[in-house]
Amino acid sequence: PVVMEWEADAVCILGIMKEHPTKKDTDCSQPSSDLEYSGLFTRSFSDEFGQAIRGDVAGIGAAYAVIVVYLFLNLGKRDSVHSMVAMSFGCLACVGLSYVGGTGLGSLFGVKNNPLNNNIPFLILGLGVDDAFVLVAELTRHAAQDKGASVEKLIAATAKTGGASVLVTSLTDALAFLVGASTTLPALSAFCIYAGISVILCFLFQIFLFLPLLAINLRRTRANRFDLLCCFRSSVKHEINDPQGCCCCIWFPRANPPDGLLPKAFEWVGNKTVRTMPGKVGTLVFWLGMFAVGIAGTANIEKNFKLEWFFPSGSYTKKFIDLNDQYFSEGTTFRFYTNDVDLFAQQAEMNEFTSYIDQISAIKQSSLQNWWPNFRSRPTVSPAGTTRADFYRELWAWFGTSAFKDSIMWKDGRCNSKDAAVSATCDPTQGVAHTQISATLRRLGDGPTRFKTVNQMRLDINKIFKDDSGMRAFPF
């Protein structure tokens, strides 16, 4: 659009951004003056969020790469037969099919797609890789315990133990997402539905695709055939518990560390922390300390929200918001309402109410739009002998020429009509249904402070009007 392009040129000419938002070859230099410009434009949010997201793309790509590399290096053994590189490709195939299947089923069910779904592949990749490690570890354990067992028996045992573990984690993850789909936020609900379906499919593909691939891989290893080059056999027998190294480890045996370093390390730590008295005491003290820190941190949690928290440091939008808060800040605008209050019978309460809000330091007094002291000069009390009807006729006569016509709602609907002919026939003596007084809070800082301030006003006003319900006069 023309407006967005004009704003892109403006942020560049004023030196607000170092690079032109749309013309990548255009240099945006700061104007040669002592003035520094800042501003908030229609395109500001899209500029800042887009730049932040583009900056995260590299990090997300690196995270994908780390998980995939870890999978290829650690799923199997450091052995040319038991390396399980091909099985790593099988795991990635399960992940890809889960995401594609989840997207297809979600679309088939009529669930709308949205940008949040771009995070699902990363979630499914982590879950699928974890499931693959669990199944492979269980297969390795069963194969070591029963070396003479058939392939079918080993796969069945793996499905019995490893499959149960995978089922529990997948079921809890899927339920968490599907329960989250009940939220009223459409985009978040759709994301939860797509994620829940993808998690379920990931489990099914692990059981009905990855496990059969493990069976084929087990037959290959028993035939002593190389991983990836399964048409060729090794001349040396390769045992799964005695990896002989691969790649450079074949020619440089010293580069091949002994197997089981991590299990041995965890076993040593477990023996020290669980079987010895100092370890038991140290573990108890450590976790009690963590619990105490958690309780202390929980007690300091505050509910608050600021839009500028979404912008990265150095953002011109965040800088504008900070400067605006510092020099031109205005608090929240709100109103005091009265509901079905007999103004004639409670003139004293209205006077006390007006005096009260005039003394509230949290309110910018220049922002008060209070119709009551404008109705009569203080004290606003009717002379002796004034009847209720006289009071409301006087209020109606003032109302007709006042600037507060939006502040009073009469019980007789004809009095509220903009048509002079209709309002002339109304009966103001029926009384006033609702009134409002507008005001603006000073800049109070965080949300809890604003809540405490307004809530205290509510309690004080209830006392003035002797109203336990809190519905006759209140700030909102």
Side-chain angles (χ1 to χ4, degrees):
V2 176
V3 173
M4 300 295 282
E5 190 63 29
W6 182 89
E7 290 186 350
D9 291 337
V11 297
C12 181
I13 294 172
L14 295 175
I16 296 175
M17 295 186 69
K18 295 181 179 180
E19 296 182 359
H20 197 287
T22 59
K23 302 173 184 177
K24 299 305 179 184
D25 297 332
T26 302
D27 180 35
C28 301
S29 57
Q30 185 74 22
S32 56
S33 67
D34 295 333
L35 293 177
E36 183 179 349
Y37 297 92
S38 182
L40 184 66
F41 299 85
T42 305
R43 63 173 304 119
S44 295
F45 284 10
S46 60
D47 284 343
E48 297 295 352
F49 288 140
Q51 187 174 357
I53 292 172
R54 286 191 296 271
D56 291 340
V57 168
I60 295 175
Y64 276 103
V66 168
I67 294 177
V68 172
V69 170
Y70 182 84
L71 172 67
F72 277 93
L73 292 180
N74 293 282
L75 185 62
K77 302 288 185 177
R78 295 180 307 278
D79 189 275
S80 56
V81 173
H82 298 283
S83 60
M84 287 196 177
V85 174
M87 289 304 304
S88 299
F89 284 109
C91 173
L92 295 179
C94 292
V95 171
L97 291 172
S98 301
Y99 173 66
V100 173
T103 302
L105 286 176
S107 300
L108 182 64
F109 296 152
V111 183
K112 292 184 179 180
N113 199 351
N114 66 82
L116 289 177
N117 291 1
N118 295 333
N119 298 305
I120 294 178
F122 187 76
L123 297 174
I124 301 303
L125 177 62
L127 181 63
V129 169
D130 178 71
D131 292 345
F133 273 100
V134 171
L135 294 176
V136 169
E138 286 299 299
L139 176 62
T140 303
R141 182 173 68 87
H142 290 302
Q145 290 176 350
D146 191 358
K147 296 182 178 180
S150 64
V151 173
E152 292 80 5
K153 183 178 179 180
L154 291 176
I155 294 298
T158 301
K160 180 180 179 180
T161 56
S165 299
V166 171
L167 173 63
V168 171
T169 56
S170 299
L171 185 61
T172 53
D173 291 343
L175 283 177
F177 281 118
L178 294 178
V179 170
S182 61
T183 179
T184 56
L185 301 176
L188 184 58
S189 176
F191 165 77
C192 290
I193 293 174
Y194 277 104
I197 296 174
S198 297
V199 169
I200 295 173
L201 290 179
C202 184
F203 166 74
L204 295 177
F205 280 116
Q206 291 290 336
I207 298 299
F208 295 107
L209 178 58
F210 189 76
L211 270 180
L213 290 177
L214 270 181
I216 297 173
N217 183 75
L218 186 57
R219 293 182 185 276
R220 176 192 60 78
T221 58
R222 287 192 170 183
N224 210 37
R225 296 180 179 273
F226 291 112
D227 190 16
L228 292 179
L229 302 174
C230 56
C231 297
F232 302 94
R233 294 178 184 269
S234 174
S235 58
V236 180
K237 182 64 176 177
H238 290 253
E239 297 292 343
I240 190 170
N241 293 326
D242 184 24
Q244 301 177 19
C246 56
C247 299
C248 64
C249 298
I250 298 176
W251 293 279
F252 301 96
R254 292 182 180 179
N256 182 32
D259 194 35
L261 288 179
L262 196 59
K264 291 178 181 177
F266 279 115
E267 182 181 6
W268 181 84
V269 173
N271 288 334
K272 294 295 183 182
T273 57
V274 177
R275 294 186 175 181
T276 64
M277 183 56 65
K280 294 177 181 179
V281 174
T283 302
L284 182 62
V285 170
F286 175 78
W287 289 113
L288 282 177
M290 292 294 293
F291 178 73
V293 171
I295 293 296
T298 303
N300 292 325
I301 292 178
E302 293 184 359
K303 293 182 179 180
N304 200 6
F305 173 80
K306 289 184 178 180
L307 182 63
E308 51 266 36
W309 290 347
F310 285 91
F311 299 106
S313 58
S315 160
Y316 80 85
T317 304
K318 185 176 185 300
K319 181 179 180 181
F320 171 84
I321 294 175
D322 292 341
L323 290 172
N324 187 67
D325 289 344
Q326 182 178 357
Y327 297 107
F328 308 102
S329 63
E330 290 190 5
T332 305
T333 300
F334 70 106
R335 289 172 174 80
F336 294 99
Y337 291 96
T338 64
N339 179 36
D340 201 21
V341 172
D342 188 346
L343 301 178
F344 172 72
Q346 296 191 288
Q347 294 179 70
E349 285 81 356
M350 288 295 295
N351 289 336
E352 185 180 355
F353 174 50
T354 297
S355 299
Y356 168 73
I357 61 179
D358 285 345
Q359 298 172 6
I360 299 177
S361 60
I363 292 179
K364 296 176 65 175
Q365 295 300 317
S366 60
S367 68
L368 269 175
Q369 298 293 322
N370 190 353
W371 66 271
W372 179 256
N374 286 275
F375 168 43
R376 288 196 200 138
S377 301
R378 298 179 185 180
T380 316
V381 179
S382 299
T386 302
T387 64
R388 184 177 184 277
D390 293 337
F391 172 83
Y392 281 111
R393 289 192 188 97
E394 182 182 358
L395 178 61
W396 173 248
W398 168 85
F399 178 79
T401 58
S402 75
F404 293 91
K405 289 185 170 59
D406 294 331
S407 299
I408 299 176
M409 186 71 65
W410 297 84
K411 288 187 176 181
D412 188 341
R414 294 173 298 176
C415 297
N416 304 315
S417 176
K418 301 296 182 181
D419 190 339
V422 175
S423 61
T425 62
C426 78
D427 180 14
T429 61
Q430 294 183 21
V432 171
H434 313 287
T435 69
Q436 67 174 15
I437 299 171
S438 64
T440 301
L441 290 173
R442 297 184 185 276
R443 189 73 176 180
L444 298 177
D446 55 11
T449 302
R450 293 193 297 271
F451 172 79
K452 291 177 182 178
T453 301
V454 177
N455 190 59
Q456 187 60 49
M457 292 182 196
R458 186 183 298 271
L459 296 175
D460 294 340
I461 293 171
N462 290 345
K463 291 180 180 179
I464 293 173
F465 285 90
K466 300 177 179 60
D467 174 28
D468 294 333
S469 68
M471 297 301 295
R472 298 181 60 207
F474 54 88
F476 184 79

